[in-house]
Amino acid sequence: MSLCPNYKKCGGCQLQNMTYEKQLSFKQVKVIRLLGRFCHVDEIIGMDEPYHYRNKVQAAFGMKNGKIISGVYQSSTHNIVPVDDCLIEDVIADKIIVTIRKLAESFKIKPFNDVTMKGFLRHVLVKRGFVSGQVMVVLVTASGAFPSQRSFVNALLGKHPEITTIVRNINDKHTSLVLGERSETLFGDGYIEEQLCGLSFRISPKSFYQINPVQTEVLYNKAAGFAGLTGTERVIDAYCGTGTIGLIMAKNAGQVIGVELNKDAVRDAKSNAAANGVKNIQFFCGDAGRFMVDMADARETADVVITDPPRAGCSLDFLRSLIKLSPKRVVYISCNPETLARDLGFLTRKGYRAVKIQPVDMFPFTEHVETVVLLEKRPKNTEKRPNDTETR
Ligand code: SAH
């Protein structure tokens, strides 16, 4: 039995036909199947309240039978499945989206049609700070004048005084991306702030931020425990995004170096460091693999490497250079146990051993599972298969 009437059409919650306990054991078994050969897998950390955890909610707008609808795209199609409330989305964010739909009706604002490329309101994106309570609404529209903009904004704020900023983003391209290039702040600062592990982070419409704040703290605390910092270490935070992990660890490290490909994220990371008064951290924009090769070529060293790559895992260049840098510990955070298994295979053939594997349920009701692994350098004389070729 599923809990949501849109279960089949939406496709967002693949495991909704299972109880939460069943979901956790499903994920545990998956991680053991893929990673159990490296070391014991600790019990997955689930949520006490696995509902409404998503702090970032997005809805597409369209027309059906002469009425405006808002919701999600049916999996692999362009049909909008109307959604008013969702099991995993933030409750306030969902309410705001319903209000916007009603206001759009009364203000006669037409939804955008991406076949005819006509109409105005395309998507609404809401981000809410779980700790700070700040709420950002992004109205994604076609270009051109916003009909009755000021009255619309005032009406929205009247219904939802909890909104702290409203941004208009313009996207008139034929694209499946939600956000376009240009943004204009209609109310407030144009960003929200949120607290995580005792630090404050700025979240703008485009910046990446973990979507489950409760489990993010759990995950980062585990990663920090695995890193075992004593205040003197040189730490690399690879694939660092807006710098959250490195910034949180900096107080227990000698020096932290963050590397990230997305330049907006690096800009946010630098301003997050300044805003929190963290001085022993530096961020570099570039490919993490290339960066590690340069570090290795320059005969640099690191005591601890933290890596949190996208689903594809770490590049071979990255892993080869990591071996050369020879850190005592590697903390590998992964959202894809398949590529994690491949990369652990490489590292464990090259002088490391996995000593802790901890799955964390960041995305209840979906099939996704996050895993954090601690690897330690094996003492030289116990190195496994030293003649192994450098493949994964
Ligand atoms: N550690 C961060 C972000 C992890 S998401 C956090 O916990 O918030 C993975 C990040 O890797 C994204 O920010 C993405 O932009 C970045 N990325 C993707 N490919 C990359 C590459 N080749 N080199 C460096 N960073 C990359």
Side-chain angles (χ1 to χ4, degrees):
M1 194 203 65
S2 72
L3 299 160
C4 170
N6 301 315
Y7 167 49
K8 289 235 163 72
K9 283 187 183 159
C10 161
C13 295
Q14 302 85 1
L15 306 187
Q16 215 182 86
N17 54 342
M18 299 181 192
T19 62
Y20 188 52
E21 266 176 17
K22 211 52 196 300
Q23 294 174 31
L24 291 177
S25 61
F26 173 89
K27 293 180 186 188
Q28 181 76 14
V29 167
K30 181 173 177 178
V31 176
I32 292 174
R33 179 168 55 79
L34 289 162
L35 308 175
R37 67 192 151 102
F38 296 108
C39 84
H40 171 77
V41 175
D42 287 342
E43 194 181 335
I44 186 167
I45 307 175
M47 295 188 80
D48 294 337
E49 268 293 321
Y51 305 104
H52 305 293
Y53 57 83
R54 270 197 84 104
N55 57 3
K56 171 185 155 190
V57 176
Q58 213 155 267
F61 278 66
M63 251 352 212
K64 198 173 184 180
N65 305 329
K67 285 226 165 286
I68 302 179
I69 54 166
S70 60
V72 295
Y73 288 115
Q74 185 169 357
S75 33
S76 357
T77 75
H78 230 66
N79 303 330
I80 296 170
V81 182
V83 175
D84 275 5
D85 43 60
C86 161
L87 209 61
I88 62 171
E89 289 172 356
D90 182 65
V91 175
I92 293 173
D94 278 349
K95 289 198 169 123
I96 291 172
I97 290 167
V98 171
T99 301
I100 291 172
R101 193 180 66 227
K102 290 182 179 157
L103 288 176
E105 287 280 8
S106 56
F107 278 79
K108 304 211 177 335
I109 292 176
K110 293 227 156 52
F112 186 80
N113 179 321
D114 51 12
V115 178
T116 63
M117 302 292 282
K118 292 212 165 72
F120 190 69
L121 183 59
R122 200 163 178 168
H123 300 272
V124 171
L125 166 66
V126 181
K127 295 187 182 188
R128 191 165 87 90
F130 176 78
V131 180
S132 70
Q134 295 184 16
V135 179
M136 169 164 60
V137 174
V138 185
L139 303 163
V140 185
T141 70
S143 51
F146 193 131
S148 325
Q149 178 181 302
R150 184 173 290 191
S151 320
F152 186 89
V153 165
N154 287 340
L156 181 56
L157 290 170
K159 296 258 185 229
H160 293 280
E162 67 275 17
I163 295 172
T164 50
T165 186
I166 302 178
V167 176
R168 175 186 177 190
N169 174 272
I170 295 165
N171 186 357
D172 46 17
K173 292 226 171 73
H174 191 74
T175 170
S176 57
L177 294 179
V178 172
L179 294 177
E181 288 293 312
R182 275 184 297 147
S183 284
E184 183 192 335
T185 303
L186 308 183
F187 172 76
D189 294 329
Y191 58 84
I192 55 168
E193 278 170 341
E194 171 66 328
Q195 285 76 42
L196 183 72
C197 297
L199 298 183
S200 187
F201 295 94
R202 179 184 288 201
I203 306 171
S204 32
K206 281 196 179 169
S207 57
F208 173 87
Y209 195 78
Q210 295 281 357
I211 56 110
N212 183 337
V214 173
Q215 293 299 83
T216 299
E217 282 220 1
V218 170
L219 179 75
Y220 287 179
N221 285 335
K222 270 285 161 197
F226 285 1
L229 301 175
T230 62
T232 57
E233 292 83 357
R234 188 175 206 216
V235 179
I236 295 176
D237 177 11
Y239 306 88
C240 69
T242 50
T244 32
I245 298 176
L247 286 163
I248 287 161
M249 296 209 187
K251 63 176 179 300
N252 298 319
Q255 185 200 2
V256 181
I257 301 165
V259 56
E260 160 65 43
L261 195 57
N262 179 317
K263 65 176 187 323
D264 291 340
V266 173
R267 194 198 52 218
D268 285 351
K270 287 179 179 166
S271 72
N272 284 332
N276 288 289
V278 180
K279 301 217 162 59
N280 58 339
I281 194 162
Q282 279 171 289
F283 292 102
F284 295 92
C285 186
D287 168 58
R290 183 73 246 159
F291 181 83
M292 291 289 273
V293 170
D294 292 346
M295 290 271 293
D297 287 350
R299 301 198 179 282
E300 295 273 358
T301 56
D303 302 302
V304 177
V305 171
I306 297 157
T307 181
D308 184 10
R311 294 189 64 76
C314 297
S315 67
L316 194 51
D317 273 352
F318 179 94
L319 295 174
R320 281 182 181 145
S321 305
L322 187 147
I323 303 291
K324 286 192 192 146
L325 288 176
S326 193
K328 283 194 285 295
R329 289 165 171 243
V330 177
V331 180
Y332 195 139
I333 302 172
S334 163
C335 56
N336 183 352
E338 265 125 29
T339 53
L340 175 60
R342 179 199 66 196
D343 292 353
L344 290 187
F346 182 85
L347 293 172
T348 53
R349 285 196 302 273
K350 297 288 173 185
Y352 284 83
R353 60 171 180 190
V355 290
K356 280 267 177 202
I357 299 182
Q358 175 67 67
V360 177
D361 191 22
M362 297 282 277
F363 313 106
F365 293 96
T366 77
E367 64 194 351
H368 301 289
V369 56
E370 197 87 6
T371 313
V372 51
V373 179
L374 169 62
L375 294 122
E376 278 176 2
K377 209 158 97 179
R378 217 186 278 275
K380 267 265 174 303
N381 52 2
T382 64
E383 215 152 286
K384 238 182 165 182
R385 292 195 269 163
N387 297 327
D388 226 4
T389 51
E390 282 206 8
T391 55
R392 288 192 287 197

